[in-house]
């Protein structure tokens, strides 16, 4: 691999996360010698503006990725399962945003602010966690390191783009219909999302949503705390961009909320926004377009011994997806 | 008081809860001999359609309520503090939706499905809990009675109408602006609510929102469980009508989720909607306009011993406000 000028490809370049990936690569001046964009045949031929000029999107073929140094996978898990091993086999590195390899013990699951060291074990595939597990891990890691996590409860408020462009477009159309006095309708999603709150929409794994299972398993893996007890409920809200969560943690010892605030304020990837008397706290509207996880409403949880409550928001397309993947790729290059 | 044909007044008749009160009185054919509508001087003169014909809204004066049998207070706490004792002093009953008397030990705080018996102690004022505490108490009461509550965690998803007509109208205007491609603006509320999630907007009491303090204190009082440990985070979402909450409970003993489902399905005021594989669970859009608390996503909380997780939605203007108040008034009449 030419670490100074790698060849780069994005698989799923026309999706919500893939489009953000194109922008984040440009913003961070990622040193790509060349950039190839792949998507489904339906999107082939489309032109996309990148930091290397307007590029044509191509349909992914069996041999397309052979010889590419860094391949970002932002399509479905099936696509990653099929193509990522070929990239690795040919000496490249697959940076995978799908769920395909996240729980594979031979593949590192990396949030650079938390467990960059695990990248050393990679064999050509690096997995990125789910868009809730990434910001959650960033917030929990310093708390676990300094104070010991005993239990974590999470209620999410997740944006439409977390489910891809389909739901995001449907939410926009519903908002237009509702504003015009027409009845909004649902097609790609089981419920009308505008003006609603939906505690589902995911595939179920037993009584839990697939999302709840992922958040628990992936957060434990990133924190290297397989034993961590977690209670998670995932909920979709009518927001375009920005996942939020109400979080309660129980720690090994009593900790002053001011100390938690100070700890998080000096932890990587976190911006503390916490002055609720002046109505300052994280919101998805404020965090959209930024890379930090914003944390606020940090306070004692009077209901629990050693309990702290907080609320966070993070851009699910950036830190929850594209930015994390580009950071991973930067680390991969730095290690060459 | 003429229990068969009482004279009735609504204070705050033009507000979000007051307007719903007019409708619920009609739906339940409340046996009012006469109905008087009061509001701020700004709304005086307006005509409102009621089940006793179109009535003119009048400005509330010092003597207006003298001799009225049942007075519903759906204005601010200051109005209730000033006028409710006069109603009681003149032999009438004030059914108060404000927070003025909720924690007054001489005033019953009543959710008919839970603690109707406490109504016996009233001295002319009956308080109604907050619009989150009402549905929460309805869900928790059977669990506490049958299995013993040890701890409750609640993350709310609260509708704009819970903050009154001002925010509800602002959300509608923001939705129209956003759909038209214009930047939505906030005036009555500290943040743009459309396309957003706001973990604040309430007055703060220390590090907690006033709403969080109310939910904890009032739920404890309704359940008669002053010792109940609770962890609550309140959040506003861009929904017109319908408060929802993700809830986790810890019970005295292990309980099968199927038993919880069966218990709640036979408890008053609850409709279990729980088939997530078929994407059936409570949502505010489904519950708006109805009186039951809808409960779903009932499952084992793997993160806690004896833990159960669930999700509920309830119409904040009906069961969370107007319907509860009318039920209370019906009980008051039945006891005469």
């Amino acid at each position: 691999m030419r670490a100074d000028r790698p060849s780069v490809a994005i698989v799923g370049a026309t999706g919500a996360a893939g489009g953000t990936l194109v922008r984040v690569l440009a913003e961070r001046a990622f040193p790509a010698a060349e950039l190839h964009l792949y998507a489904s045949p339906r999107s082939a031929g489309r032109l996309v503006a990148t930091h290397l000029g307007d590029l044509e999107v191509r349909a992914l073929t069996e041999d397309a990725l052979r010889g590419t140094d860094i391949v970002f996978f932002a399509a479905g898990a099936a696509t990653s399962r099929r193509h990522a091993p070929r990239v690795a086999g040919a000496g490249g590195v697959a940076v995978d945003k799908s769920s395909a390899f996240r729980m594979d013990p031979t593949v590192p699951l990396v949030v650079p602010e938390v467990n960059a060291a695990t990248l050393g074990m990679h064999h050509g595939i690096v997995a990125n966690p789910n868009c809730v597990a990434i910001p959650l891990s960033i917030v929990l890691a310093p708390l676990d390191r300094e104070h010991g996590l005993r239990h974590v409860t999470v209620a999410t408020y997740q944006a439409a783009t977390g489910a891809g462009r389909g739901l995001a477009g449907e939410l926009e159309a519903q908002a237009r219909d509702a504003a015009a006095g027409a009845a909004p309708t649902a097609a790609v999603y089981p419920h009308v999302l505008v003006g609603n709150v939906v505690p589902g929409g995911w595939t179920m794994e037993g009584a839990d949503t697939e999302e709840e299972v992922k958040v628990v398993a992936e957060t434990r893996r990133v924190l290297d705390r397989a034993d961590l007890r977690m209670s998670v409920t995932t909920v979709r809200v009518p927001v375009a961009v920005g996942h939020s969560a109400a979080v309660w943690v129980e720690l090994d010892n009593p900790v002053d909320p001011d100390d938690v605030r100070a700890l998080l304020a000096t932890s990587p990837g976190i911006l503390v926004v916490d002055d609720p008397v002046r109505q300052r706290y994280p919101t998805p509207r404020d965090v959209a377009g930024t890379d930090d996880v914003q944390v606020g409403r940090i306070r004692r949880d009077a209901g629990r011994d050693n309990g702290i409550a907080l609320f966070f928001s993070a851009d699910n397309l950036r830190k929850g997806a594209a930015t994390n993947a580009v950071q991973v790729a930067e680390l991969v290059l730095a290690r060459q």
Side-chain angles (χ1 to χ4, degrees), chain A residues 229-250:
Chain A
R229 299 198 79 176
M230 298 180 68
S231 305
V232 178
T233 295
T234 58
V235 179
R236 191 76 64 186
V237 292
V239 164
V241 176
H243 285 359
S244 304
V247 179
W248 294 263
V249 296
E250 279 178 81

Side-chain angles (χ1 to χ4, degrees), chain A residues 304-330:
Chain A
R304 295 281 186 193
D305 298 335
N306 311 342
I308 292 286
L310 58 84
F311 188 90
F312 76 72
S313 297
D315 185 321
N316 53 297
L317 296 178
R318 294 183 62 97
K319 186 56 205 177
T323 303
N324 197 79
V326 175
Q327 288 174 299
V328 164
E330 289 167 350

Side-chain angles (χ1 to χ4, degrees), chain A residues 1-309:
Chain A
M1 184 186 298
R2 297 157 299 167
D4 55 332
R5 301 289 287 163
S7 58
V8 175
I10 300 175
V11 175
T14 58
T20 306
L21 204 41
V22 169
R23 280 198 298 284
V24 171
L25 286 172
E27 288 170 18
R28 298 177 76 101
F30 193 82
E34 48 193 270
L35 178 60
H36 304 284
L37 307 183
Y38 298 99
S40 64
R42 194 166 36 108
S43 300
R46 199 184 295 181
L47 279 185
V48 171
T50 78
H51 69 308
L52 298 183
D54 287 356
L55 299 179
E56 187 177 331
V57 175
R58 287 178 286 173
L60 186 58
T61 60
E62 297 298 308
D63 294 327
L65 304 171
R66 195 186 303 277
T68 307
D69 294 320
I70 303 269
V71 181
F72 295 99
F73 283 88
T79 301
S80 295
R81 263 187 226 106
R82 177 162 188 167
H83 291 277
R86 292 171 198 234
V87 171
V93 176
V95 179
D96 187 20
K97 184 56 203 136
S98 87
S99 61
F101 301 99
R102 287 178 187 157
M103 298 311 292
D104 182 332
T106 68
V107 172
L109 181 67
V110 180
V111 178
E113 291 85 348
V114 179
N115 64 346
T118 63
L119 201 61
M121 67 169 273
H122 88 77
H123 302 289
I125 303 178
V126 183
N128 290 253
N130 162 288
C131 45
V132 171
I134 289 174
L136 181 61
S137 301
I138 288 175
V139 173
L140 295 182
L143 292 169
D144 191 39
R145 190 187 64 236
E146 295 299 322
H147 303 297
L149 286 172
R150 289 199 173 172
H151 186 278
V152 180
T153 302
V154 181
T156 70
Y157 302 70
Q158 296 183 233
T161 46
R165 284 236 161 108
L167 179 56
E170 184 156 294
L171 174 60
E172 281 179 24
Q174 289 169 352
R176 282 194 301 272
D177 284 348
T185 55
V188 305
Y189 192 65
H191 295 270
V192 169
L193 184 57
V194 75
N196 211 4
V197 160
V198 181
W202 291 276
T203 301
M204 300 301 293
E205 294 195 10
D208 296 314
T209 66
E210 184 184 45
E211 188 83 350
E212 286 157 359
V213 173
K214 285 179 185 172
V215 170
V216 170
E218 298 173 17
T219 302
R220 284 175 174 161
R221 190 162 181 229
V222 171
L223 297 178
D224 195 20
R225 280 289 311 272
D227 62 320
L228 183 61
R229 299 198 79 176
M230 298 180 68
S231 305
V232 178
T233 295
T234 58
V235 179
R236 191 76 64 186
V237 292
V239 164
V241 176
H243 285 359
S244 304
V247 179
W248 294 263
V249 296
E250 279 178 81
L251 305 167
D252 282 342
N253 298 296
V255 180
D256 191 282
D258 285 339
D259 293 337
V260 171
R261 207 171 283 113
L263 171 66
L264 294 180
T266 55
S267 296
I270 293 176
L271 178 66
V272 170
V273 180
D274 197 12
D275 188 359
V277 171
R278 299 171 72 188
Q279 301 299 336
R280 292 186 189 164
Y281 30 67
T283 71
R285 271 195 177 268
D286 285 339
V287 85
T290 73
D291 283 323
D292 283 328
V293 183
Q294 296 194 7
V295 185
R297 298 292 330 272
I298 299 164
R299 61 203 193 277
R300 196 176 306 282
D301 172 7
R304 295 281 186 193
D305 298 335
N306 311 342
I308 292 286

